[in-house]
Amino acid sequence: MSRGVALVTGASSGIGAVTAAALARRGYRVVVHGRDERATAGVAMAVNGVPVCADLAHAGEAERLATRALEVGDGRIEVLVNNAGFGWHGDFRTMPKGTADRLLAVNLAAPIALTRALLPAMREHNAGRVVFVSSIAGRLGVGGEAVYAASKAGLDCFADSLRGELRETGIRIGVVVAGVIATPFFDRRGTPYARRWPKPIPTEAAAEAVMRCVERGTAEVYVPRWLRVPVVVQGVAPGVYRWLEGRFGGEGGTR
């Protein structure tokens, strides 16, 4: 018996593809979103889901995707995983024109628009899960990824605020704070990940974190768990954190 419909954005590869498979194994009918038509169709076929291609940087595409997901669910949606992300690494002064707009559109505006479009259906049935795949860059800031970090910080704040609004409902908001995950993200951002430590961890670990938010209603999961430590240090001793970051920090890089 189906457990309902789950929409996963950015599911044509990486964390999204593994998450789509995990949801399908648990009985959800998955709406698989991606930009690459062939890759998206391949993942959808593998999980017996529904492929929907859309470029979330374009106006109206998030709403079109939400409408299709609701059509699949006959007006209901149980799970929304906002995973689609876009990155760029380099000196902020050299960022190509339009890149900042695209980063903010895909990483921040689109998840807000999708959540706004799908939340009424969840409110109607007083049940649902909304999960945001964020980044440690949004908690700490990362040199070379200023706009990306800002977009993820905004996503974190949106999730926290929304959680407060929905506290008395059956809807739960989860955030996965991802570190360095082994996905094509780094190749696509224009600069491969080159640090020897920390080493990228498997996409399955991030997908498991997403599933914790879905199945348990967990509000926040760090991947890996030790990433919580620098966030705590920054909060309680910002001067110490800045000294450590200056001494040991280097190339940025998240999922």
Side-chain angles (χ1 to χ4, degrees):
M1 183 176 294
S2 174
R3 297 179 66 177
V5 170
L7 167 60
V8 184
T9 68
S12 61
S13 65
I15 298 170
V18 180
T19 298
L23 286 162
R25 286 195 299 270
R26 286 159 173 81
Y28 290 95
R29 189 174 190 202
V30 184
V31 177
V32 178
H33 160 263
R35 283 198 304 145
D36 184 298
E37 187 172 342
R38 180 176 295 181
T40 303
V43 173
M45 182 177 295
V47 303
N48 196 28
V50 179
V52 182
C53 287
D55 187 340
L56 296 178
H58 294 164
E61 286 293 87
E63 290 80 4
R64 182 176 70 83
L65 176 57
T67 298
R68 181 65 182 120
L70 289 172
E71 290 173 350
V72 173
D74 292 325
R76 291 195 62 163
I77 183 99
E78 278 66 37
V79 177
L80 167 61
V81 180
N82 285 298
N83 168 72
F86 170 64
W88 186 86
H89 181 274
D91 190 320
F92 177 62
R93 296 170 298 176
T94 67
M95 176 178 280
K97 183 179 180 180
T99 300
D101 291 339
R102 183 174 181 83
L103 274 164
L104 293 171
V106 175
N107 297 356
L108 182 58
I112 291 174
L114 275 169
T115 303
R116 185 174 186 271
L118 294 174
L119 200 56
M122 293 184 180
R123 293 293 305 255
E124 183 178 348
H125 299 93
N126 197 36
R129 297 287 188 268
V130 181
V131 183
F132 299 91
V133 179
S134 188
S135 167
I136 190 63
R139 299 292 172 96
L140 299 175
V142 177
E145 294 184 287
V147 180
Y148 175 80
S151 71
K152 292 299 185 177
L155 197 64
D156 280 350
C157 193
F158 174 68
D160 284 341
S161 301
L162 195 61
R163 188 181 297 115
E165 291 185 21
L166 299 172
R167 185 169 290 114
E168 302 302 322
T169 74
I171 303 167
R172 296 292 175 265
I173 306 298
V175 175
V176 174
V177 184
V180 184
I181 311 295
T183 74
F185 175 85
F186 295 99
D187 296 329
R188 293 171 181 166
R189 72 175 185 173
T191 305
Y193 183 75
R195 296 183 65 176
R196 287 187 289 180
W197 188 89
K199 292 183 178 180
I201 65 176
T203 52
E204 288 75 11
E208 288 173 7
V210 172
M211 294 310 299
R212 280 183 59 188
C213 295
V214 171
E215 296 184 317
R216 305 179 193 176
T218 305
E220 182 179 85
V221 184
Y222 282 83
V223 186
R225 294 180 180 179
W226 63 261
L227 282 180
R228 187 182 297 273
V229 175
V231 176
V232 171
V233 172
Q234 186 195 52
V236 300
V240 172
Y241 173 80
R242 284 193 292 270
W243 180 84
L244 290 170
E245 197 276 336
R247 182 176 177 85
F248 300 107
E251 176 205 358
T254 50
R255 69 182 184 88

